[in-house]
Amino acid sequence: MNKLIIFNQRFSSNQAPALINPETTFLYNPGLVSSWFFIPGVLGVVLTLISSLVSSVTVVREKDTGTLEQLLMTPAEAWEILLAKIVPLFILLMGDVILALNLGRLVFGVPFRGNAFLFLGLSGLYLFVGIGIGIMLATICRTQQQVVLTSFFINLPLIQLSGAISPVENMPLILKYISLLNPLRHYVAIVRGILLKGSGLDVLWLNAIALLVFAIVLLSISINQFRRQLS
């Protein structure tokens, strides 16, 4: 009887259909290409460092050389002086955005599935955030060495909590909530959404509003501080 049961089990197992083997496929990066994940994050990191460093150093350099006092002797208003500092830097940084995007596509094969005008518009909005940080640092510091050291002291936590290097999902819960106050996190989410997923403003509107709020707050604080120094 036992031999009959064993024979029936073997016979039934041989006739049974093959088991289903589930396979996980990543929708937006099926090949698991690491550069597709890192390049958008590196783009945000580079823009943060350049925009904050260059804008702060250019303002502090005029304090060191004394040319800022010469500008005060001209009939130009304070907002005109500040606008003359921001506009050329903004145009230069937008060129860096286009250059970095083309290098990522040509060299590393990063796809671009979204709207180019939306990408450039939100990148320009984030540049105002970086410029606002730089001008605010320039109003606090007195020398170029202080600006550089203070900039790295601020930018390193921004980079670590942005998700550009390590995913936000792997962070402790308290750091996830703190990272919501990080403008770089929102920009990295925007870049990855547009480049890899082809997301539009209907999906990224929360991140876009966050960048707009950061830009308004940081530029308002930095401009007011700059006007006080000029007066």
Side-chain angles (χ1 to χ4, degrees):
M1 188 65 180
N2 293 332
K3 293 182 179 180
L4 180 60
I5 294 175
I6 296 174
F7 175 78
N8 289 333
Q9 290 177 351
R10 290 180 179 177
F11 181 77
S12 60
S13 62
N14 292 332
Q15 297 298 323
L19 297 177
I20 298 175
N21 297 322
E23 295 182 357
T24 303
T25 302
F26 289 85
L27 182 60
Y28 303 108
N29 190 1
L32 294 180
V33 183
S34 60
S35 60
W36 290 18
F37 177 82
F38 284 108
I39 295 301
V42 171
L43 175 61
V45 171
V46 171
L47 290 182
T48 303
L49 293 175
I50 294 179
S51 59
S52 60
L53 275 175
V54 175
S55 58
S56 59
V57 169
T58 52
V59 175
V60 173
R61 183 183 302 170
E62 292 196 352
K63 291 182 181 180
D64 294 339
T65 57
T67 55
L68 189 60
E69 286 77 9
Q70 296 178 5
L71 290 175
L72 295 177
M73 301 300 295
T74 62
E77 298 291 336
W79 67 271
E80 294 176 338
I81 297 175
L82 190 60
L83 189 64
K85 296 292 182 186
I86 293 177
V87 172
L89 180 59
F90 177 80
I91 296 175
L92 178 64
L93 291 174
M94 284 302 296
D96 291 337
V97 171
I98 297 174
L99 177 61
L101 177 62
N102 290 325
L103 287 177
R105 295 184 63 188
L106 296 176
V107 178
F108 297 97
V110 179
F112 191 94
R113 298 166 177 162
N115 192 335
F117 295 102
L118 179 62
F119 173 77
L120 293 177
L122 295 179
S123 297
L125 183 60
Y126 181 71
L127 289 180
F128 283 115
V129 175
I131 293 173
I133 294 175
I135 296 177
M136 185 170 60
L137 292 178
T139 58
I140 298 174
C141 303
R142 297 182 179 180
T143 62
Q144 297 184 28
Q145 291 80 5
Q146 290 180 356
V147 164
V148 173
L149 293 175
T150 307
S151 176
F152 279 104
F153 178 77
I154 293 177
N155 286 328
L156 285 179
L158 294 180
I159 295 171
Q160 293 294 331
L161 295 176
S162 64
I165 299 175
S166 60
V168 179
E169 292 78 9
N170 295 340
M171 298 180 184
L173 184 60
I174 185 172
L175 294 182
K176 290 182 182 179
Y177 288 112
I178 294 176
S179 65
L180 293 175
L181 302 176
N182 184 2
L184 182 55
R185 173 189 172 173
H186 299 283
Y187 180 68
V188 170
I190 288 173
V191 175
R192 286 176 178 158
I194 295 177
L195 266 63
L196 303 181
K197 302 178 182 179
S199 302
L201 195 59
D202 55 336
V203 177
L204 304 172
W205 64 274
L206 281 176
N207 302 108
I209 290 177
L211 287 186
L212 180 62
V213 171
F214 281 118
I216 293 174
V217 171
L218 291 174
L219 283 176
S220 300
I221 295 175
S222 59
I223 289 173
N224 289 331
Q225 291 293 113
F226 188 75
R227 285 179 177 176
R228 289 179 181 178
Q229 287 192 354
L230 291 181
S231 61

